Amino acid sequence: EIYDLYDKEDSVKAILFDIVQSYIFESDPSKIVPFKELFHQSLVFSLGDLVENQRELVMIVLLVMYREYMIGIKKQPFRKSVVNGKTLRKVDSFVLIDEANQIMDYEFDVLEDILLKGREFGVGVILSTQYLSHFKKSDINYSESLNTWFIHKQNKLSKRNLLDIGLQNADENRISEIKRLKVFECLYKSLNSDDGVFIKGIPFFENFN
């Protein structure tokens, strides 16, 4: 309906045409639910079958809708942990973006906005990609907005990469240790660890031994 009503022959018209012709979105109103109702469960959006311009379009739409959802969240008061007395904020939801380099390359303002403001509303973003160098683009350095890191084995690594994420003990020895990491091992760095600590995750299959 929007495409039929839009009377200009420009790039917007071309994008609308692509949306209509590719059948990306549901046309049956009875199957459509409000965006905020999606957060009662874990939800996966698989975009692998879409061509590049369609993936870009869907990613923008989802991020814009998530930002609008985020802004509408009622801010909850801080709570004190009964374990260590630290002040905690209620977590509403997280967005996990796999192969995040594909979206960071576009340098979307909306992604940076969620990263900068999300903590205030109790939402977070997890960016998963292969190299630390992926986080630094021409105009945006996404690593500046991220406080927690899990760094697995990397052969392509520099001292500058580690300094950019706040690791104070960034030397050749630390780089060599990361390059020697085994499967399920990683360097964990967060607010409570300036130098990071090496940890090993528990593989899912080991829960059944």
Side-chain angles (χ1 to χ4, degrees):
E1 291 173 348
I2 296 173
Y3 174 76
D4 291 337
L5 290 170
Y6 196 85
D7 58 0
K8 295 180 181 180
E9 296 298 330
D10 55 12
S11 59
V12 175
K13 185 81 169 182
I15 293 172
L16 290 171
F17 177 79
D18 190 47
I19 293 174
V20 172
Q21 294 298 313
S22 56
Y23 300 98
I24 294 175
F25 299 105
E26 178 59 59
S27 59
D28 184 352
S30 67
K31 297 180 181 179
I32 298 174
V33 298
F35 189 73
K36 64 181 180 180
E37 290 186 11
L38 300 177
F39 296 92
H40 301 302
Q41 60 188 330
S42 295
L43 195 64
V44 177
F45 292 93
S46 179
L47 308 181
D49 292 335
L50 302 178
V51 297
E52 183 175 355
N53 64 325
Q54 293 174 344
R55 285 200 301 270
E56 178 184 354
L57 171 66
V58 174
M59 285 190 293
I60 293 175
V61 170
L62 290 173
L63 286 173
V64 169
M65 293 181 72
Y66 186 71
R67 179 175 60 182
E68 294 304 310
Y69 165 79
M70 175 188 78
I71 295 173
I73 295 173
K74 182 180 179 181
K75 297 179 184 179
Q76 300 294 324
F78 288 97
R79 301 179 182 180
K80 265 194 173 181
S81 169
V82 296
V83 177
N84 53 28
K86 290 186 177 181
T87 302
L88 305 175
R89 188 191 298 272
K90 180 181 178 181
V91 175
D92 176 90
S93 55
F94 274 91
V95 174
L96 166 60
I97 304 176
D98 194 19
E99 300 295 344
N101 188 51
Q102 296 182 20
I103 190 170
M104 290 189 290
D105 277 345
Y106 293 110
E107 301 190 43
F108 292 143
D109 291 339
V110 62
L111 176 58
E112 186 183 23
D113 198 41
I114 296 172
L115 285 168
L116 291 172
K117 299 177 182 176
R119 195 175 300 109
E120 178 183 355
F121 295 93
V123 307
V125 179
I126 303 172
L127 300 175
S128 174
T129 188
Q130 293 182 343
Y131 301 112
L132 285 176
S133 57
H134 287 171
F135 292 92
K136 194 171 185 179
K137 304 303 177 183
S138 58
D139 295 322
I140 300 177
N141 185 355
Y142 290 99
S143 63
E144 292 178 347
S145 305
L146 299 170
N147 290 322
T148 299
W149 296 83
F150 295 90
I151 305 169
H152 295 267
K153 180 180 179 180
Q154 292 192 56
N155 294 320
K156 186 180 178 182
L157 190 64
S158 70
K159 182 178 179 179
R160 181 74 262 168
N161 295 148
L162 298 181
L163 290 173
D164 283 345
I165 66 171
L167 275 172
Q168 297 181 1
N169 185 22
D171 53 22
E172 291 301 324
N173 183 55
R174 181 53 56 97
I175 292 174
S176 297
E177 289 176 312
I178 295 173
K179 289 182 177 180
R180 293 196 301 268
L181 287 173
K182 298 178 182 178
V183 179
F184 305 118
E185 295 178 345
C186 71
L187 175 66
Y188 163 75
K189 191 270 179 190
S190 194
L191 294 175
N192 59 351
S193 177
D194 291 334
D195 292 331
V197 293
F198 288 99
I199 63 174
K200 181 179 179 180
I202 300 176
F204 181 73
F205 65 85
E206 287 190 4
N207 292 317
F208 302 95
N209 291 340

